[in-house]
Amino acid sequence: MTDAAREETLEVREGRRASVDKQRIRLLLYFGLMLCDIAAIRGGFAIGRSSRGWEWLAPNGVELGWLILPIHILVGLRNGSFSHEALDHRSESLRRSTSAFMIATSAIALLIFFQDARPLVSRIAFGIAIVSTLFLMMVLRIVFSVLFVQPVKGGLRGELQIVDGVPPLPVARHVFDAAAAGVRPDISDPDMLSRSEEHTSELQSR
């Protein structure tokens, strides 16, 4: 194997390794968003309990926060509360997470209504728990975005935008200008294909 071939193989492996590393980082950040929501729900209902007492938020011996939590996670997985869009756009992260929480809370409120357990639940404590949870959820997600999402070097996805004599989109992180590199799209020219692969591998490994 020639030196050029070895270098080319090494660049390809580095590009693949960088892509895998970004995927692992994204999974960890998704899990971090979920932990933020769990902490917000537990913290919010702890504040609600302190206002009236534990028994006023547990009509059947189970605190309402523990019933809301799994529903919130399921709805959040469905509506993208723990997705790449939630990591990319802070406002979208807040909208989706609060929407999932309100859907879960509404489901439990309907359950309380149909079980006729309303006299056993303090509306004041429940309201304080809901407002506190929403506030904590927004604060924790914003702090998480500032401390863990923004510092990720090179973005969360190894996307490459290839242009040919036109300006790239403003959101592009990695841009390959084919005209500037002297690369022409010719599938029958192995040399051009090799040069294109070298340039793209170099950009993707950053």
Side-chain angles (χ1 to χ4, degrees), residues 160-168 174-183 199-200 203:
L160 173 65
Q161 186 178 142
I162 302 176
V163 298
D164 187 9
V166 296
H174 302 302
V175 178
F176 172 55
D177 193 336
V183 176
H199 286 289
T200 54
L203 289 170

Side-chain angles (χ1 to χ4, degrees), residues 128-178:
I128 291 175
I130 293 172
V131 173
S132 300
T133 298
L134 291 173
F135 175 76
L136 291 174
M137 193 173 290
M138 290 186 287
V139 170
L140 289 175
R141 282 200 170 227
I142 291 173
V143 172
F144 182 82
S145 175
V146 172
L147 295 181
F148 297 102
V149 179
Q150 289 183 356
V152 177
K153 295 179 62 177
L156 296 172
R157 286 186 289 190
E159 292 181 333
L160 173 65
Q161 186 178 142
I162 302 176
V163 298
D164 187 9
V166 296
L169 295 174
V171 296
R173 293 186 180 273
H174 302 302
V175 178
F176 172 55
D177 193 336

